[in-house]
Amino acid sequence: MAELLKDHLQKRGFTADSTYNAVDAIRSMENRNYDLVISDLMMKDINGLELLDSIKKIRNDTEVIIITAFGTIETAVEAIKRGAYHFIAKPFKLTDMDVIIQKAIEDRRIKKENLLLRETVEKKYQFENIIGRSKVMEEVFELIKRVSATNSNVIIYGGSGTGKELAAKAIHFNSPRKMMPFIAINCSAIPDGLLESELFGHLKGAFTSAHITKKGLFEEADGGSIFLDEIGDMSLNLQSKLLRVIENKEMRPVGGNESRKIDVRIITATNKDLLKEVKTGNFREDIYYRLNVIPIRLPSLNERKGDIPLLAEHFIRKYSSEMGKDVKGITKEAVDMLNRHNWEGNVRELENVIERSVALSKHFVLQPTDLPDYIQKISEAEMLEGASEKRLRLKEFERMYIKKILQDVKGDREKTAAILGISKRTLYRKT
């Protein structure tokens, strides 16, 4: 039987080995990675169920099919419980065995892909992928690390583009809940009437367009984490319903009379001063203190400009790879321009700038001229203001002014020298 199956599988394009006892099978398993093992149940030294246990200890992802002429329902159930993929009785048709083998191989492939995807997701949201080495970011990393191990509610404060959702994902994927769902929703992007249905679900017929019963996001996230972005924009009515979820660990779908128990960690984020919103009556005080258990404040990019070169290099690598470009870095002059810019859109704006620059650049290293015009152009008033703030010496201000002229004329040194009324040699010496 073993030789028959081996010969059949090889003809079907598989690489197959055969052996006639369980001890040799275990030895082969220790030396090679098999996708599938087909084993008899009744054998001299070790029976098929004992072999199954040994295989699962060596390589848990290897699928096992048990075949036997002495099958009972009890034995089949026991085999499946112990991890067998399938239990088949002799005699069997090779065509039937083919179907089972193909399905086993395909299921193993899907499991491996899912495992790889999970590992990729976890790696993506580890702390080192939130870019920054400034002191203020090191403090954020340390806080995220400590809070991830807890089950406490977290609120993330930060302006648009500071990476609030990325921080929320880092908390989830480094927590004991990482194998369970992470669900995110922007509370400001959905009208109040629809938001309640999105969060808590609804029963069929609960309102005019409720043609089917729908699960809410809290139920979808059961066992995992839910991220409520821009929580400061949630209506007072919905805040009261959210408070019930926080306090009682249960939710009620729209149109329903019965509450359902849920186990969800709540992570929220806002760009508003919630305490100020409480004082003005726009945010409930009771829910504020429930959510504000562990606050994390993400700094604006203007507060961590020392991270700009690191972030720029990271985004250059990312988009060069995605676009198949060969951009390897960025010049000091271009970095100086990035440092002078007021980043109202924070890290997201910087990422957009680098993506555009990489897409349009014809250089191996990003030049000042690769950056968008609004980054390149800085008014003389802004330049003078910056020089005043930094108390620059005359030589430093002179160099800064020359760079400004060079930018205006797209790097033409002859034109720059003519505008400044100096020789090209003097221009080279001063730059």
Side-chain angles (χ1 to χ4, degrees), residues 12-250:
R12 296 295 306 273
F14 291 103
T15 300
D17 294 328
S18 64
T19 185
Y20 313 128
N21 66 76
V23 174
D24 286 346
I26 291 169
R27 193 175 294 121
S28 294
M29 286 293 303
E30 289 171 342
N31 296 322
R32 293 191 65 178
N33 187 10
Y34 291 94
D35 294 308
L36 174 68
V37 174
I38 302 170
S39 172
D40 209 339
L41 177 66
M42 305 300 289
M43 295 181 286
K44 289 179 182 178
D45 45 5
I46 299 172
N47 69 39
L49 294 183
E50 291 169 332
L51 175 61
L52 170 63
D53 291 339
S54 298
I55 289 170
K56 289 299 177 180
K57 284 178 185 174
I58 298 167
R59 299 193 191 277
N60 188 47
D61 60 337
T62 297
E63 301 292 4
V64 180
I65 295 172
I66 300 289
I67 58 175
T68 183
F70 307 97
T72 64
I73 292 174
E74 290 80 7
T75 309
V77 169
E78 181 63 22
I80 300 301
K81 279 170 65 177
R82 286 159 83 159
Y85 182 80
H86 203 86
F87 188 92
I88 187 169
K90 301 177 189 173
F92 54 82
K93 294 179 181 178
L94 287 177
T95 51
D96 293 339
M97 181 63 84
D98 280 342
V99 172
I100 296 168
I101 289 170
Q102 289 291 354
K103 195 169 185 309
I105 296 293
E106 178 64 14
D107 285 357
R108 184 175 188 270
R109 182 187 65 78
I110 291 169
K111 285 178 188 174
K112 285 175 73 175
E113 285 180 359
N114 288 342
L115 180 62
L116 181 62
L117 179 61
R118 172 63 65 180
E119 288 172 350
T120 302
V121 167
E122 287 182 18
K123 184 178 178 184
K124 184 177 179 183
Y125 298 112
Q126 286 172 355
F127 303 129
E128 61 265 26
N129 287 289
I130 304 176
I131 307 299
R133 58 186 171 206
S134 57
K135 188 175 185 301
V136 67
M137 286 306 294
E138 284 180 3
E139 291 171 358
V140 169
F141 296 151
E142 180 58 30
L143 189 51
I144 288 175
K145 185 177 180 181
R146 292 207 308 270
V147 78
S148 294
T150 74
N151 201 37
S152 301
N153 293 333
V154 180
I155 187 163
I156 303 167
Y157 293 95
S160 177
T162 51
K164 296 189 290 294
E165 185 169 344
L166 193 60
K169 286 176 177 174
I171 291 168
H172 172 77
F173 286 105
N174 287 277
S175 78
R177 294 175 178 263
K178 64 184 179 182
M179 300 304 288
M180 301 306 286
F182 174 88
I183 305 290
I185 185 168
N186 188 322
C187 298
S188 67
I190 301 173
D192 190 50
L194 291 177
L195 184 58
E196 182 179 358
S197 172
E198 283 294 313
L199 291 175
F200 307 120
H202 62 253
L203 299 185
K204 182 179 179 180
F207 46 87
T208 307
S209 57
H211 302 303
I212 58 170
T213 295
K214 180 189 172 186
K215 259 188 185 182
L217 295 183
F218 270 98
E219 200 171 348
E220 294 279 357
D222 195 21
S225 306
I226 190 165
F227 174 56
L228 305 175
D229 199 4
E230 303 305 345
I231 189 70
D233 293 329
M234 183 179 280
S235 71
L236 291 169
N237 174 50
L238 268 184
Q239 288 174 35
S240 65
K241 294 183 179 181
L242 178 60
L243 183 63
R244 186 170 65 242
V245 174
I246 297 169
E247 291 184 334
N248 302 328
K249 304 290 185 188
E250 60 183 31

Side-chain angles (χ1 to χ4, degrees), residues 277-327:
E277 294 294 305
V278 168
K279 289 174 182 175
T280 57
N282 294 323
F283 204 80
R284 290 177 60 120
E285 185 176 20
D286 47 8
I287 197 171
Y288 167 75
Y289 287 111
R290 288 289 192 178
L291 296 175
N292 202 56
V293 177
I294 303 177
I296 296 176
R297 182 183 170 276
L298 297 183
S300 69
L301 187 54
N302 291 325
E303 294 175 85
R304 47 182 289 228
K305 283 198 169 180
D307 288 332
I308 286 178
L310 190 67
L311 287 161
E313 292 284 354
H314 169 74
F315 293 134
I316 287 168
R317 286 194 299 273
K318 174 183 176 181
Y319 289 109
S320 291
S321 174
E322 284 185 10
M323 299 175 188
K325 303 273 296 217
D326 200 22
V327 181

Side-chain angles (χ1 to χ4, degrees), residues 398-399 401-406 413-423 426-428 430-431:
E398 181 184 59
R399 190 178 295 113
Y401 183 67
I402 291 171
K403 280 185 179 179
K404 166 70 172 62
I405 301 299
L406 275 166
R413 291 182 175 272
E414 197 166 331
K415 270 189 185 179
T416 302
I419 291 168
L420 295 171
I422 59 176
S423 67
T426 302
L427 177 62
Y428 275 103
K430 288 182 180 291
T431 56

